[in-house]
Amino acid sequence: MKINILDKQLANMIAAGEVVERPASAVKELIENSVDANAKNIIVEIKNGGMTYIRVTDDGDGIHPDDAVTAFSRHATSKIATKEDLEKICTLGFRGEALASIAAVSRVEMFTKTKDTPFGKNVVFEGGELMEDVEAGCPDGTTIIIRNLFFNTPARMKFLKNDAAETTAVTDVVNKMILCHPGVAIKLISNGKNVISSHGTGNVIDCIHAVYGENYANNMLDVEYREEFISVTGCTGAFSLSRKDRRHQVFFLNGRNIINKTISTAVAEAYRNSVMIGKFPVCVLYINIAPGLVDVNVHPTKMEVRFSNEKKIYSAVYWAVKEAISRTKHIPDVDETAVFTTENKTEIPPQTELPIKPSLNEKHDIVSDVKDKIRDTIMKSEQARSLPNHLADKGFFSQEIKNVPKSEPVQTTPVFRAEPVRDVQPQTDIIASPVVEQPDARAEDTVRKQYLPNRDFTLVGQVFNTYIIAQTGDDMLLIDQHAAHERIWFEKLMAECQSGTISPQALLIPVVISLDGHDFNIVCDNMEFFGEIGFEIDVFGDSDIIVRKVPMEAEDDVLRETVADIIDILSKNSAKPKHELYEKTLHTVACKRAIKGGRHLTAEDMEHLVSEVMTLESINTCPHGRPICIRMSKTTLEKQFKRIV
């Protein structure tokens, strides 16, 4: 087989495949060149996602007229000159491949001028060939215009996505550049519309506000850490900002945006036990180390790097983030010493030691006396007095169990032992013993009951303000009120969605939400979908939306979180069938709309919820797979108390 030497144009087209994968890649390379040229203002303009038009204008140092054509040659660069320079790269570009690669697969025009030259230079390349080289009047700095990217490589065009997707990719690149260079004012214009802009104030929070919005900017914690040859600065998010992906974890190494598993793992470990499983924290971190300790010459995109000491990097990032989130205590600590103990325990002889069978009134007195002693002991404890809802006359519980079923006279005296009571909750008097009352056939039953076709249950009450206790037959049911309500709402919303009868509620005060470019584009592209699931949303600015109607009652923060979650679902599942998108988004809406754990419910609320649960037929999980109800039989309970073996 004969070996051929590729001509210059073909070699450049092959190299372009590594450097310029899509319009966003070209934008990234051009902005990096502008930053290296000390630009303070950069304007990026694109049309059709950058596939037909890209313009990047800066006020940097410019290129000398004699070097304007040379700049488009392969391996032509002003960043390095010797092999020693590769060991201490301090610029974003250094390979000298970007302009040559872009010119090889597009029509490129450049205007450039330095401060010390009277005229600028205008050069035009088409498919890598020089078409024009003339003097031109232009301001200091450089403007590069790219038209019809990949016009001569139609195979590459097949792999590009639609205009919206390519615009999103370009927006993401510009967002990263804004965050990476707070001192540079950067603006993105798409199809004549301002998408995003920063002011170049040098303040990281201002950049976060421009990219992610006010909510993020207000909930970021400062990071400041130095250790030997490493410094880690920037911001990391409060726990409430956790997201379902790592898209908002941004890392910059010596001014360069990178992706690195070691750094991501360090951040995740710092937040361990602080964010929910499946959620990821938000952060913008700037890591600076000696250039000789990192190799950035790994891949043409320069997104991958190698460290000479991975452990040092991991340790520095971990402690930087850990210290930042530890400065403020977001969640109160549980006082493990607040466990109730009883002094002067009242011992009641075992049943077998009672020589005489007491009368009914005597049994009632024994029960009451022991119950009162236990209650008084707890009431007098310091721990009890420190609890909220402590009532000196009724006990520290906010509500007592009143719906205790009347029972037949017990033939033996109950045994009450003053053992330590752990995890006592102030909402339910769970320590109270069964009250043995005299039988009265005419007395009204105090237990609330619901009767459904072939179903009946006895409502017992609520424990920990999260779980509802009910009895049906010889079974005790524990129902997770949030999981149950979430499933009920999901089934209702799905039925309404399928029939087209979802009834949104108008907000008294519409909610304005600031989004980054990526999320804003997703909302704009899915306005009809949002309407179908009960949201009335309008564009309210360059990157803001206004929510006027919703299918749920929620506070503003919950509503914002719901919209953000739906955007994430649409972003990750755009290729999935519409019915799957309905399910995923309505899961989120139902979850936000459902009553939460920790909320006290009235007896009527509990009755209604249990009744609804009973109608779910074979369904016993919430939309996310958690169980709604667990059951304990009378036999199992009696085994726990050693009544039967």
Side-chain angles (χ1 to χ4, degrees):
M1 180 180 294
K2 182 176 176 58
I3 297 177
N4 299 315
I5 298 178
L6 300 177
D7 61 42
K8 177 182 177 182
Q9 184 177 0
L10 184 56
N12 284 343
M13 292 173 67
I14 294 173
E18 295 181 335
V19 179
V20 186
E21 299 176 356
R22 60 196 307 185
S25 304
V27 171
K28 173 179 177 291
E29 296 291 344
L30 295 181
I31 295 178
E32 287 182 345
N33 283 345
S34 297
V35 172
D36 284 341
N38 301 311
K40 294 301 179 184
N41 294 277
I42 302 173
I43 299 176
V44 180
E45 183 177 1
I46 62 172
K47 295 178 182 178
N48 305 113
M51 291 185 283
T52 61
Y53 183 87
I54 299 173
R55 176 176 66 87
V56 177
T57 299
D58 68 57
D59 59 354
D61 298 336
I63 301 174
H64 194 276
D66 296 339
D67 295 329
V69 174
T70 305
F72 287 87
S73 301
R74 284 198 70 195
H75 308 306
T77 179
S78 61
K79 317 297 173 58
I80 61 174
T82 66
K83 64 180 182 179
E84 286 76 17
D85 293 337
L86 283 175
E87 298 177 359
K88 50 181 180 179
I89 295 174
C90 298
T91 55
L92 299 178
F94 60 89
R95 290 173 174 269
E97 293 180 317
L99 291 181
S101 298
I102 293 171
V105 293
S106 66
R107 296 181 174 91
V108 179
E109 184 173 10
M110 181 176 74
F111 294 88
T112 186
K113 179 183 177 298
T114 60
K115 295 180 180 179
D116 56 355
T117 55
F119 295 98
K121 199 67 174 287
N122 172 217
V123 296
V124 180
F125 283 82
E126 183 172 332
E129 296 294 329
L130 178 63
M131 307 299 293
E132 191 171 345
D133 178 11
V134 296
E135 286 187 346
C138 55
D140 296 344
T142 301
T143 296
I144 295 181
I145 301 171
I146 303 172
R147 295 183 174 89
N148 301 326
L149 190 63
F150 303 130
F151 80 98
N152 56 349
T153 54
R156 182 65 57 80
M157 295 287 289
K158 297 178 182 178
F159 294 94
L160 296 180
K161 299 181 180 179
N162 56 36
D163 291 1
E166 295 302 331
T167 299
T168 297
V170 172
T171 303
D172 185 60
V173 166
V174 174
N175 286 343
K176 296 289 187 0
M177 289 297 174
I178 289 174
L179 294 172
C180 186
H181 307 287
V184 180
I186 303 177
K187 177 187 290 187
L188 172 62
I189 303 171
S190 176
N191 296 325
K193 179 181 177 181
N194 290 335
V195 176
I196 189 171
S197 61
S198 66
H199 302 291
T201 62
N203 191 325
V204 176
I205 292 296
D206 290 343
C207 294
I208 292 174
H209 187 284
V211 173
Y212 296 136
E214 183 179 3
N215 183 47
Y216 279 73
N218 292 339
N219 288 280
M220 300 299 286
L221 309 173
D222 291 334
V223 176
E224 187 75 32
Y225 184 86
R226 282 175 173 76
E227 175 185 300
E228 296 183 23
F229 53 84
I230 306 171
S231 72
V232 182
T233 58
C235 297
T236 193
F239 306 138
S240 59
L241 289 184
S242 58
R243 299 295 296 266
K244 293 184 177 180
D245 55 37
R246 289 189 174 92
R247 184 160 51 89
H248 289 176
Q249 289 185 4
V250 189
F251 309 121
F252 301 105
L253 177 69
N254 293 347
R256 185 191 311 280
N257 180 216
I258 65 168
I259 298 174
N260 186 267
K261 187 176 180 180
T262 298
I263 298 175
S264 296
T265 303
V267 172
E269 191 65 24
Y271 275 88
R272 179 181 290 276
N273 298 324
S274 298
V275 296
M276 291 180 60
I277 295 175
K279 294 275 191 175
F280 300 93
V282 174
C283 62
V284 178
L285 298 181
Y286 304 87
I287 304 164
N288 288 281
I289 66 174
L293 301 177
V294 60
D295 182 9
V296 299
N297 191 24
V298 177
H299 190 273
T301 61
K302 300 183 284 290
M303 291 288 290
E304 300 177 19
V305 297
R306 291 196 188 100
F307 296 108
S308 61
N309 192 331
E310 294 270 347
K311 291 183 179 180
K312 280 285 187 182
I313 297 297
Y314 178 94
S315 175
V317 173
Y318 172 83
W319 286 112
V321 175
K322 192 71 174 178
E323 288 184 2
I325 63 179
S326 298
R327 291 191 194 109
T328 304
K329 187 176 294 184
H330 297 280
I331 301 175
D333 293 335
V334 177
D335 186 2
E336 296 182 357
T337 63
V339 178
F340 295 110
T341 59
T342 57
E343 299 175 0
N344 302 322
K345 297 181 180 180
T346 304
E347 294 291 337
I348 304 298
Q351 299 175 25
T352 56
E353 296 182 8
L354 292 176
I356 302 175
K357 180 178 178 181
S359 67
L360 181 61
N361 289 335
E362 289 174 338
K363 285 188 293 184
H364 179 73
D365 291 339
I366 293 173
V367 172
S368 300
D369 290 344
V370 176
K371 179 181 176 182
D372 291 340
K373 289 181 180 180
I374 295 175
R375 181 184 297 277
D376 291 341
T377 302
I378 296 175
M379 284 292 299
K380 294 175 182 178
S381 67
E382 293 183 1
Q383 296 95 326
R385 289 194 295 272
S386 65
L387 285 176
N389 302 324
H390 176 268
L391 303 176
D393 56 338
K394 297 182 180 179
F396 62 90
F397 305 106
S398 62
Q399 144 183 347
E400 296 184 0
I401 294 180
K402 296 180 180 179
N403 297 330
V404 179
K406 290 180 170 61
S407 58
E408 294 297 323
V410 179
Q411 299 302 316
T412 57
T413 304
V415 177
F416 297 92
R417 298 188 183 278
E419 297 293 339
V421 181
R422 299 181 181 273
D423 299 330
V424 176
Q425 297 295 318
Q427 292 79 11
T428 307
D429 190 354
I430 203 66
I431 193 174
S433 60
V435 178
V436 182
E437 302 183 30
Q438 299 188 30
D440 184 355
R442 294 172 297 176
E444 180 181 357
D445 189 354
T446 59
V447 180
R448 296 182 177 272
K449 291 187 178 181
Q450 283 283 339
Y451 292 93
L452 300 173
N454 300 321
R455 298 184 184 90
D456 69 293
F457 65 87
T458 301
L459 179 65
V460 178
Q462 184 185 31
V463 64
F464 307 134
N465 277 355
T466 300
Y467 305 99
I468 299 171
I469 305 176
Q471 178 185 338
T472 174
D474 285 335
D475 292 329
M476 180 179 69
L477 304 180
L478 283 173
I479 299 171
D480 183 327
Q481 64 192 39
H482 173 71
H485 203 215
E486 181 181 354
R487 167 58 74 176
I488 292 166
W489 267 116
F490 174 72
E491 295 297 320
K492 182 176 184 294
L493 290 171
M494 279 297 295
E496 292 178 349
C497 185
Q498 291 169 357
S499 62
T501 59
I502 287 185
S503 301
Q505 306 173 26
L507 295 174
L508 183 62
I509 302 177
V511 176
V512 177
I513 302 177
S514 299
L515 303 172
D516 62 42
H518 173 272
D519 290 353
F520 182 77
N521 289 331
I522 289 177
V523 173
C524 292
D525 292 340
N526 291 277
M527 286 291 193
E528 182 179 354
F529 181 88
F530 274 97
E532 291 170 349
I533 61 173
F535 287 85
E536 182 178 309
I537 297 176
D538 293 322
V539 174
F540 196 66
D542 293 339
S543 60
D544 296 339
I545 61 173
I546 184 168
V547 182
R548 303 186 187 277
K549 293 183 179 181
V550 295
M552 55 190 286
E553 294 180 2
E555 297 179 355
D556 288 359
D557 290 343
V558 175
L559 177 58
R560 294 173 193 275
E561 184 180 351
T562 303
V563 172
D565 288 345
I566 294 175
I567 291 172
D568 283 338
I569 291 170
L570 294 173
S571 175
K572 296 176 181 177
N573 301 275
S574 57
K576 291 191 175 181
K578 208 166 188 179
H579 71 274
E580 290 190 27
L581 291 177
Y582 284 143
E583 289 184 2
K584 289 180 177 293
T585 53
L586 292 181
H587 284 180
T588 297
V589 175
C591 181
K592 303 301 182 185
R593 186 170 186 169
I595 56 176
K596 301 298 185 288
R599 174 180 167 182
H600 172 71
L601 302 181
T602 64
E604 289 75 12
D605 290 337
M606 288 187 279
E607 288 173 355
H608 181 73
L609 186 57
V610 176
S611 299
E612 294 281 349
V613 169
M614 293 294 189
T615 65
L616 289 175
E617 299 295 340
S618 60
I619 300 174
N620 189 42
T621 63
C622 75
H624 300 96
R626 295 191 299 108
I628 291 174
C629 175
I630 60 175
R631 174 171 51 199
M632 177 177 285
S633 67
K634 179 182 179 182
T635 301
T636 302
L637 189 61
E638 289 180 335
K639 285 182 178 179
Q640 295 296 318
F641 284 96
K642 309 301 182 185
R643 285 182 172 271
I644 61 176
V645 179

